């Protein structure tokens, strides 16, 4: 299990028994591991002295958290108002068609996880896609496939 | 302090809620999420009432009577047309969410207003998200269940929707649920709840199953109850107590 | 270096100001979100490379240590005109260049940085062909007045020295000389109202917190800017983080708090990083922590990262979230300013509010109150976005009309299309129409018109925006963001979405509009928290001003804007079509046929009504037609 020591390292950065840090600790784990495993939620809860029940509740309440493993890249479709009125939902449909997986899903080959996200603050470039944090602005439905191909030129 | 509910002058202590004062004065306010033994949450909004700061005040405010602490001179109306309409809407919405909960349908009929049929939930359960089970479980000290997810997807569940050591199978959540949403299977040997099976402890007197082994352990750990509470069922304890009274009396 | 006294801070500023004065020029490259996406980072690198190649010594960002430097390069926060990035501003000429590419760096360095020349052919041009030699002349900036955004786009965001050189922490010094009561009084006299939405008097809030008896008090900065279509707070947190810390420290001094929190959305990782650095720098400099500036006053700030929940913008939910709990609003009727975080008196203001505080303390209440309207003094930052020609971040005096904002600053509707509506206040606000364009930007005026100030999103909509769709958009946003605690919001908003969705799809029944209005009123009355109570606003305001459009969706099953896909097919107007061929590849349904230079045709059977063709058409040749659904 190569991940186990990493989890312990992250957890150990927080003082034990400080329930207030739960949200932060879970965020750090997710940043490192891409999602929150059952093991990770349990470890965070135990370290900070909160119940697993509460840790699970927090992990499911806040949208920032994912409870299943993610694709190699994350494709975020901004659904802020500006993006919406400039056609974000048409883009979402196009992404679904292009990648074969829609918002909330991961492509079969594990390449992309697709998410609808709230405003990313780039309203001037609407509609906006983010591929692993790289921002693609003014994306038209007809060019989604080409833009994604260019952005996803990973291995 | 003094306040007026539906024209009836009532005396109240500071810190009491409108609901408490109303019920003491036999004024009916319907509730769903409220339970006398539990802290209020103000979730169902069925208990809304209209309040005005004093008798001359014109502006009324709609508040949840289960949460609103009384103030001196407060004027409360529990059944204005507006309040009745809001209650009706709450019940209409719940009826759509829980089409299979007869308790909700019954309450709705009792309201007798202009009901609106909203689109029924396809996968509707009987859960109305009153949090009674969660609060009871917390009060017991187990914290085995919580409301997970959010918005319309919110549901009550143990962590990871799976068996948890925190649950002792005491069944309080099911007993306190107003709509019978929480499924419990009882057999002489075990009780199944939240997809978890608990062995039953048998009464040393009559042999009947009376609490789960896990509940017994949990309660014993608290150290606040008499030993016979863990060995005998309620009926046998009562019988023994009666026998003791008889002995004392003769 | 730790600044252990007010004098040390003054000396430090003096040194820094002298060093800055010795520089011949300063070039500010905007490193705001949109400009970075447009390549501002590469541009900044290219300028540094070019400068080195041309033998020009640059001081970069706060790094003024290189005494050889004659020109300074600052990678600033958002400069405002987001859509035209990367933006470059050169001082002292005040030349302003839009859309500068890395390959243009050589010319920028040789002409504009080696000497004082203004590169005329790069300057912004008016529609009439007039060139703007300075930024101050550009209409987008001409009507603005920055207070909260004063440093954003000017200072080096990661440099405490640069903030100090720009006058930073002078207000804190004044505050340390004043009594806490005087600080509260000054903020109250200035008439500052909370910039987060409700517009509650900031001074009054501070007074209540200060007078509540308690052993501990807290100051919280709400940076959970969840309003979709707004990024003012993000811009300030990223572009001028020290100003927020200074504002919070002054608040702490006023109410007697020792601990502060900045609650930042997780979607803003850069803001978190910037604030983090700023806090560390302030602690090292003795501007946070024990004995600030040797004045026997302790205050520290911690960052709390949000988890992606709009409801956490609600004060009681935010406080719960900081406590490590689920961000559900509290259902009590006690004010959080008296019993807030951990049950203690808590002042919670948003980023922009705190960003106004240093200016008020430094320049006085009268100075602040001289701007704006009597009921809403000062200025307000907005994100002017949507179908507007110049999108970006602006700050205008209160009382400026919506028309001035949209047409004078924003340059009117995108592509010269007709104006239809403007949305303010985000999911708690509403849409205003043509008839309301002369309303002043003012807390009370906007509320009276059925919208609200909100945090500052201002979304312009043209005739190709459908109000039913917009109402549905906001309600589905609120549905997915409802915490789920109370029935009216959890179930009611979901039913609401369903009702609006049937209107979009042409399956609504007569009477559904009245049902929706009643449901809206009931949700507004019966919900537990402010978010639930305001949830129906986007719908109610849209119905007030655009009722006919709702009726057309229900009764005629037509969407005049051509947005609701189930009600719309597109067709090409042969008169206008030039056969340019842009639309055919844009069509996701392969429904468009036509030879080059020939009139194209849309197959109505295949058309999915997405409107992609209309978006790309430059000749206004694509028309939205009713799909003519069979009657129910």
């Amino acid at each position: 299990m190569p991940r186990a020591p990493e989890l312990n390292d992250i957890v150990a950065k927080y003082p034990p028994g400080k329930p207030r840090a739960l949200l932060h600790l879970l965020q750090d784990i997710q940043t490192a591991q891409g999602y929150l495993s059952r093991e990770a939620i349990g470890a965070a809860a135990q370290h900070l002295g909160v119940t697993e029940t509460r840790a699970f509740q927090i992990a499911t309440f806040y949208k920032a958290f994912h409870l299943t493993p993610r694709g190699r890249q994350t494709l975020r479709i901004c659904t802020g108002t500006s993006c919406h009125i400039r056609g974000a939902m048409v883009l979402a449909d196009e992404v679904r068609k292009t990648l074969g997986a829609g918002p909330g899903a991961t492509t079969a080959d594990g390449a992309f996880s697709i998410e609808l996200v709230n405003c990313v603050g780039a309203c001037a470039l609407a509609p906006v896609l983010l591929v692993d944090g790289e921002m693609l602005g003014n994306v038209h439905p007809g060019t989604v496939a080409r833009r994604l191909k260019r952005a996803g030129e990973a291995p | 302090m003094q306040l007026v509910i539906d024209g009836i002058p009532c005396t109240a202590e500071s810190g009491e809620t409108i609901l408490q004062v109303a019920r003491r004065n036999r004024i009916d306010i319907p509730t769903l999420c409220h339970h006398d033994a539990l802290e209020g949450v103000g979730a169902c909004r069925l208990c809304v009432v209209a309040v005005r700061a004093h008798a001359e005040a014109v502006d009324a405010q709609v508040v949840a009577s289960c949460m609103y602490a009384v103030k001196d001179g407060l004027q409360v109306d529990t059944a204005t047309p507006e309040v009745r309409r809001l209650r009706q809407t709450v019940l209409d919405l719940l009826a759509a969410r829980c089409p299979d909960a007869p308790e909700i349908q019954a309450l709705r009929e009792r309201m007798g207003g202009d009901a609106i049929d909203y689109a029924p939930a396809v996968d509707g359960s009987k859960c109305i998200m009153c949090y009674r089970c969660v609060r009871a479980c917390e009060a017991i000290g187990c914290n085995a269940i919580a409301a997970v997810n959010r918005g319309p997807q919110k549901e009550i569940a143990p962590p990871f929707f799976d068996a948890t050591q925190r649950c002792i199978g005491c069944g309080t959540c099911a007993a306190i649920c107003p709509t019978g949403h929480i499924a419990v299977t009882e057999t002489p040997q075990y009780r199944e709840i939240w997809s978890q099976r608990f062995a039953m402890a048998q009464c040393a007197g009559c042999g009947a199953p009376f609490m789960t082994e896990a509940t017994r352990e949990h309660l014993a750990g608290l150290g606040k109850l008499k030993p016979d509470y863990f060995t005998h069922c309620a009926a046998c304890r009562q019988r023994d107590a009666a026998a003791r009274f008889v002995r004392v009396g003769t | 270096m730790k600044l252990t006294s007010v004098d040390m801070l003054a000396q430090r500023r003096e040194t820094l100001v002298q060093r800055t004065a010795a520089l011949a020029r300063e070039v500010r490259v905007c490193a705001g979100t949109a400009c970075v996406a447009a390549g501002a980072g590469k541009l900044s690198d290219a300028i540094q490379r070019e400068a080195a190649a041309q033998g020009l010594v640059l001081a970069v960002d706060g790094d003024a240590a290189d005494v050889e430097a004659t020109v300074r390069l600052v990678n600033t926060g958002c400069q405002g005109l987001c859509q035209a990035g990367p933006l470059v501003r050169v001082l002292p000429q005040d030349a302003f260049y839009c859309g500068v590419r890395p390959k243009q760096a050589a010319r920028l360095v040789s002409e504009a940085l080696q000497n004082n020349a203004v590169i005329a052919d790069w300057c912004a041009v008016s529609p009439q062909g007039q060139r703007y030699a300075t930024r101050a002349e550009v209409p987008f900036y001409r009507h603005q007045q920055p207070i909260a955004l004063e440093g954003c786009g000017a200072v080096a965001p990661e440099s405490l020295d640069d903030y100090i050189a720009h006058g930073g922490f002078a207000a804190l010094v004044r505050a340390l000389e004043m009594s806490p009561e005087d600080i509260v009084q000054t903020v109250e006299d200035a008439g500052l109202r909370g910039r987060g939405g409700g517009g509650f008097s900031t001074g009054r809030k501070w007074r209540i917190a200060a007078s509540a008896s308690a052993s501990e008090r807290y100051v919280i900065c709400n940076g959970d800017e969840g309003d979709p279509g707004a990024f003012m707070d993000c811009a300030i947190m990223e572009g001028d983080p020290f100003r927020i810390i200074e504002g919070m420290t002054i608040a702490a001094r006023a109410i007697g708090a020792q601990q502060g929190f900045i609650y930042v959305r997780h979607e803003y990782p850069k803001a978190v990083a910037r604030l983090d650095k700023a806090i560390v720098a302030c602690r090292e400099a003795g501007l946070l922590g024990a004995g600030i500036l040797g004045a026997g006053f302790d205050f520290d700030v911690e960052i709390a990262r949000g988890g992606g929940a709009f409801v956490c913008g609600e004060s009681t939910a935010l406080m719960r979230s900081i406590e490590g709990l689920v961000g559900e609003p509290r259902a009590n009727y006690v004010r959080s300013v008296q019993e807030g975080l951990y049950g203690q008196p808590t002042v919670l203001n948003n980023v922009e509010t705190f960003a106004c505080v240093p200016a008020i303390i430094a320049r006085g209440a009268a100075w602040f109150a001289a701007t704006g309207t009597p009921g809403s003094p000062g200025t307000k930052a907005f994100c002017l976005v949507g179908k507007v020609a110049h999108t970006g971040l602006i700050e205008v005096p209160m009382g400026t009309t919506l028309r001035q904002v949209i047409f004078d600053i924003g340059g009117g509707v995108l592509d010269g299309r007709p104006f239809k509506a403007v949305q303010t206040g985000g999911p708690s606000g509403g849409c205003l129409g043509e008839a309301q364009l002369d309303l002043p930007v003012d807390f009370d005026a906007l509320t009276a018109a059925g919208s609200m100030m909100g945090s500052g999103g201002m979304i312009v909509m043209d005739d190709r925006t459908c109000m039913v769709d917009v109402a549905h958009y906001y309600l589905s946003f609120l549905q997915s963001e409802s915490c789920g605690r109370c029935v009216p919001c959890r179930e009611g908003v979901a039913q609401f979405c369903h009702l609006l969705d049937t209107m979009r799809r042409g399956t609504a029944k007569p009477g559904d509009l009245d049902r929706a209005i009643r449901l809206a009123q009931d949700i507004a009355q019966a919900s537990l928290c402010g978010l639930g109570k305001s949830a129906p606003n986007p719908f109610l305001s849209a119905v007030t001003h655009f009722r006919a459009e709702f009726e057309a969706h229900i009764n005629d099953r037509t969407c005049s804007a051509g947005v609701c896909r189930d009600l719309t097919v597109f067709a090409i107007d042969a008169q206008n079509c030039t056969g340019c061929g842009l639309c055919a590849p844009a069509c996701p349904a392969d429904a468009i046929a036509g030879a080059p230079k020939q009139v194209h045709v849309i197959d109505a059977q295949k058309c999915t009504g997405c409107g992609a063709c209309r978006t790309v058409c430059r000749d206004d040749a694509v028309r939205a037609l009713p799909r003519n659904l069979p009657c129910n």
Side-chain angles (χ1 to χ4, degrees), chain B residues 45 82 85 89 119 150 154, chain C residues 328 481 483 522 525-526:
Chain B
R45 320 304 286 175
E82 184 180 47
R85 200 192 69 195
T89 296
R150 74 175 189 222
K154 206 160 199 161
Chain C
E328 287 178 1
E481 293 298 333
C483 80
D522 291 353
Q525 286 253 309

Side-chain angles (χ1 to χ4, degrees), chain C residues 556-595:
Chain C
D556 312 330
R557 290 186 289 169
T558 56
C559 174
S560 58
V563 170
C564 296
R565 298 172 66 161
D566 293 321
L567 309 181
T568 306
V569 283
F570 287 91
I572 290 173
D573 182 345
Q575 297 264 302
N576 286 13
C577 180
T578 59
C580 71
L582 276 178
C583 56
C587 177
D590 282 330
I592 307 180

Side-chain angles (χ1 to χ4, degrees), chain B residues 103-150:
Chain B
E103 295 82 357
I104 301 299
Q105 305 294 353
L107 254 177
R108 196 176 173 214
E109 273 158 37
R110 219 183 77 196
M111 291 296 296
D114 290 333
I116 292 177
D117 290 319
Y118 290 104
V122 187
D123 51 352
S125 72
K126 287 187 187 172
C127 179
I128 57 165
M129 278 292 144
C130 66
Y131 295 78
R132 276 193 190 186
C133 52
V134 173
R135 286 176 284 160
C137 193
E138 190 185 341
I140 290 165
C142 290
N143 288 301
I145 48 173
V148 302
N149 295 323
R150 74 175 189 222

